[in-house]
Amino acid sequence: MIVSRINSTYRERIEMQISVKNIAKILEAGLDIEGLTVIAGYNNMGKSTLLKAIYTVFNTLRDSNKKILTVLKRSINESLSTKESYFDENGYGLLPRELLSTIAEKVNGNLNEFISGKKDNYDLFVKLFKESIEKYKEYWSDYYIEIEIERIYSDDFIRPLYNNIVNICSRDKESVLKYIGEMYIRNVFKGQLNSLHGISGASITVGSETENYFMSISENKIKEMYYTENTEPSVFYIPAYNMLDMLNSALAPRRVYSPEYDIYSMLMEDIKEPTYEEYEESANSTNLIKEIFNEVIHGKLEKQPSGNLFFKDGDLDDFVNIGNVASGMKNFLIIQTLIEKGKLKRNSILLIDEPETNLHPEWHLKFAEILVLMYKNMGIRSIVNSHSPYFIRAIEVKMADHGIKDKGRYYMLSESGKGVFKTQNVTAETDKIYEALYRPLEYL
C-alpha cells in the first residue's frame, strides 16, 4: 500500500530525523539532520550504505509528481518509437521515423490533459496526430496523399495508438513510484538493499514538519510507502570515486535512476537564465563560497561544442581534459558547477562519501569551510561520512568559527552483533571519534 499524505511547502529550515533499519550491514541508525551531519567510523561498517539509503528514499519520493511525469514521458517516447512496424504494415513505410518522435513530443507537451482522467482526449490526440502528419507531407506524392490521407486519418488507424497512450497515462501514482524506488534499489544497491544477514523488516523513515517519507523493503522490493507531496530541490549523492572521470568516455552514465546520472545530467545542462529570486539568492549568498573555490581551483568546468566537459584553468590558455585534472579538485568542481547552474540551492541536501579522499590536509579545511558556508549562507544541508579525524575536526572548527556550532551533528558507527552496526550520537562527546580514529597512530 502506498498512501499520499498532505501537501507541504518550504517554511524554514527545520531539524529532520532519519531512521534506517536492517539495510545491508546497518542494523539500526538514527540521524538528526539540521546543518552538517558527520558519520564517522572505520571502513566496511556501512557508512556509505546510510548515504545510499537516504539518497534512495529522497530521490524516489521528493517532488514525486515531477518524477512521475518524467516516467510517463519516457514510456510514451518508447512506446511510440516501437510503432514503426505498425506504420509499415499498414502501408506507410515512406513516412520517416522522425514522425514518431514528433507525435510523442506533442503528446508529452499536453501530458497533463491526458493524465487528468476527467475526459476522453481522443479528439485532442487526433488533432496532434494530424499536425504531426502535416509536417511530413513532403514525403508523399500528391497522388499518394489523395488516396491514403483519409485512411491514415481514420479511427481504425489512430484509435490503437491512442489506446496505448491512455494505458500509459492511466497508471496509478503508487505503481510508478514503486517502479522508481526499485530502479534506485537496483542501481544504487546493485539489487542488495535488504540485510545481508537475513534480518527482515528493512525500512527508511524521514520526518520533519515539512517532509514525511516512509519506505519498507522486503526481498529488495518495496512493500509499503507513505509520503508528503513536496517540491523541495534535489538531493545529490557524491560517491568516493571520481564521477568526472566517466563523463567524457564511453562510461558516461546510462542508468537514469542513479547518483551518477543525476549529477551527469545536471552538469551537462546549459546554464539557463535565473529567475529574479534565484538571481538574488545567488548574488547574496555565494560570494564567499566563490572566493574559496577560486582560491582552491582557480577555474571552472566548461562544456565545449563537442558536448564534452573540460576544465578551464584561469592561469592557462588551453582547456584541460578532465582526466588530467588533479583528483582532489574533482568534487570541488562538481559542487561549484551545481551551484552555478542553480541545481544545488536552498533546501537541497548534499550527501558525500569520504570528501577527504585525495585531499591535502590544507584542502580539508577549505572543503569543510565550503560545506559550512553552503549551509550558513544558502541553507544547503550536508551529510558526510568520513574516517579522517582531520576532516571531521575541520568541520567542527569551521562551524564554531562561523557561529553555527550548534547546527552540527556527529555520529559513530559501532558493531552491534556479528557483522551488523548501529549509530551512536556523539555530538556532545566528539572526543570519542578522535580517540577511535587516531588509535592507529598510537600503535606506531
Side-chain angles (χ1 to χ4, degrees), residues 12 67 82 95 106-107 133-134 139 188 195 199 247 309 311 336 398 425 443:
E12 60 181 357
K67 290 182 170 70
T82 61
L95 287 170
K106 287 182 176 292
V107 171
I133 291 290
E134 290 293 321
Y139 290 88
V188 177
S195 172
I199 304 172
L247 294 187
L309 282 173
F311 175 60
Q336 178 192 43
K398 292 299 180 182
N425 189 333
Y443 296 153

Side-chain angles (χ1 to χ4, degrees), residues 79 92 173 277 389 411:
S79 171
Y92 304 112
K173 293 177 61 173
E277 291 76 13
Y411 296 85

Side-chain angles (χ1 to χ4, degrees), residues 336-391:
Q336 178 192 43
T337 308
L338 290 176
I339 291 175
E340 287 183 348
K341 289 179 178 285
K343 304 302 181 182
L344 192 55
K345 56 188 176 182
R346 182 168 299 279
N347 222 26
S348 297
I349 297 177
L350 182 61
L351 313 169
I352 314 179
D353 251 333
E354 301 173 4
E356 70 272 9
T357 303
N358 298 314
L359 290 184
H360 184 280
E362 185 177 348
W363 281 14
H364 286 194
L365 300 178
K366 299 297 184 186
F367 206 136
E369 188 162 23
I370 285 172
L371 297 181
V372 170
L373 289 174
M374 280 169 32
Y375 173 69
K376 181 179 179 180
N377 294 346
M378 302 178 66
I380 298 170
R381 291 167 286 185
S382 297
I383 308 173
V384 302
N385 72 50
S386 176
H387 41 56
S388 167
Y390 307 105
F391 181 76

Side-chain angles (χ1 to χ4, degrees), residues 115-368:
I115 65 175
S116 67
K118 295 179 180 178
K119 61 180 181 180
D120 186 340
N121 288 292
Y122 179 66
D123 288 343
L124 173 60
F125 182 76
V126 171
K127 174 178 175 290
L128 299 176
F129 180 83
K130 289 182 176 180
E131 288 175 358
S132 302
I133 291 290
E134 290 293 321
K135 185 176 178 180
Y136 295 98
K137 271 190 172 181
E138 63 187 271
Y139 290 88
W140 297 21
S141 67
D142 291 340
Y143 175 78
Y144 193 69
I145 291 176
E146 185 179 344
I147 298 298
E148 298 294 338
I149 196 70
E150 185 173 342
R151 189 162 65 91
I152 199 172
Y153 284 170
S154 69
D155 286 350
D156 288 342
F157 187 83
I158 297 178
R159 180 68 70 172
L161 296 174
Y162 172 71
N163 289 340
N164 195 48
I165 300 300
V166 169
N167 289 337
I168 293 172
C169 292
S170 62
R171 292 172 185 162
D172 60 276
K173 293 177 61 173
E174 291 79 4
S175 64
V176 177
L177 286 176
K178 184 177 179 181
Y179 159 78
I180 293 172
E182 291 180 2
M183 288 301 99
Y184 277 119
I185 290 171
R186 175 186 295 182
N187 294 333
V188 177
F189 285 92
K190 311 305 179 189
Q192 289 187 313
L193 180 146
N194 282 104
S195 172
L196 300 177
H197 295 271
I199 304 172
S200 61
S203 66
I204 311 166
T205 307
V206 176
S208 75
E209 285 191 21
T210 58
E211 296 183 86
N212 291 279
Y213 308 131
F214 171 77
M215 181 186 293
S216 67
I217 306 100
S218 178
E219 297 180 351
N220 298 300
K221 300 289 185 181
I222 295 171
K223 299 303 179 182
E224 190 174 8
M225 280 193 215
Y226 300 101
Y227 63 98
T228 52
E229 296 284 4
N230 197 296
T231 57
E232 302 288 6
S234 299
V235 174
F236 293 99
Y237 170 43
I238 302 178
Y241 59 86
N242 285 319
M243 284 196 291
L244 283 183
D245 289 338
M246 66 175 64
L247 294 187
N248 295 341
S249 71
L251 298 176
R254 295 290 181 263
R255 293 174 178 169
V256 173
Y257 302 102
S258 69
E260 296 86 355
Y261 187 87
D262 282 350
I263 291 178
Y264 171 78
S265 59
M266 297 296 185
L267 295 182
M268 297 303 284
E269 272 191 20
D270 294 327
I271 296 179
K272 298 176 182 177
E273 289 291 335
T275 63
Y276 176 86
E277 291 76 13
E278 289 170 339
Y279 176 76
E280 285 291 295
E281 179 175 328
S282 175
N284 294 331
S285 303
T286 63
N287 287 336
L288 284 175
I289 301 171
K290 287 179 180 178
E291 287 179 15
I292 297 176
F293 277 127
N294 290 335
E295 183 180 342
V296 175
I297 56 180
H298 46 82
K300 61 173 61 180
L301 290 177
E302 290 192 14
K303 188 168 75 169
Q304 297 298 292
S306 63
N308 289 336
L309 282 173
F310 285 83
F311 175 60
K312 182 64 176 74
D313 191 318
D315 296 333
L316 300 175
D317 294 330
D318 205 356
F319 290 91
V320 180
N321 188 288
I322 293 296
N324 295 325
V325 175
S327 296
M329 290 173 55
K330 291 176 180 176
N331 280 350
F332 284 100
L333 285 169
I334 289 174
I335 296 171
Q336 178 192 43
T337 308
L338 290 176
I339 291 175
E340 287 183 348
K341 289 179 178 285
K343 304 302 181 182
L344 192 55
K345 56 188 176 182
R346 182 168 299 279
N347 222 26
S348 297
I349 297 177
L350 182 61
L351 313 169
I352 314 179
D353 251 333
E354 301 173 4
E356 70 272 9
T357 303
N358 298 314
L359 290 184
H360 184 280
E362 185 177 348
W363 281 14
H364 286 194
L365 300 178
K366 299 297 184 186
F367 206 136

Side-chain angles (χ1 to χ4, degrees), residues 27-39:
L27 180 66
E28 185 174 2
L31 305 174
D32 293 334
I33 310 300
E34 186 165 4
L36 269 70
T37 302
V38 177
I39 305 165

Side-chain angles (χ1 to χ4, degrees), residues 398-435:
K398 292 299 180 182
M399 292 196 78
D401 288 347
H402 289 279
I404 53 172
K405 182 178 180 179
D406 62 320
K407 302 300 182 182
R409 300 291 183 269
Y410 302 86
Y411 296 85
M412 285 189 65
L413 279 169
S414 56
E415 195 161 14
S416 182
K418 187 176 181 180
V420 293
F421 301 86
K422 66 178 182 180
T423 54
Q424 176 188 2
N425 189 333
V426 295
T427 301
E429 43 189 351
T430 54
D431 286 351
K432 288 185 176 181
I433 293 177
Y434 305 118
E435 181 183 347

Side-chain angles (χ1 to χ4, degrees), residues 78-97 99-100 151 157 161:
E78 181 64 24
S79 171
L80 285 171
S81 70
T82 61
K83 292 294 183 288
E84 191 171 13
S85 59
Y86 178 70
F87 279 78
D88 291 346
E89 289 165 4
N90 282 276
Y92 304 112
L94 290 177
L95 287 170
R97 185 179 178 82
L99 168 65
L100 303 173
R151 189 162 65 91
F157 187 83
L161 296 174

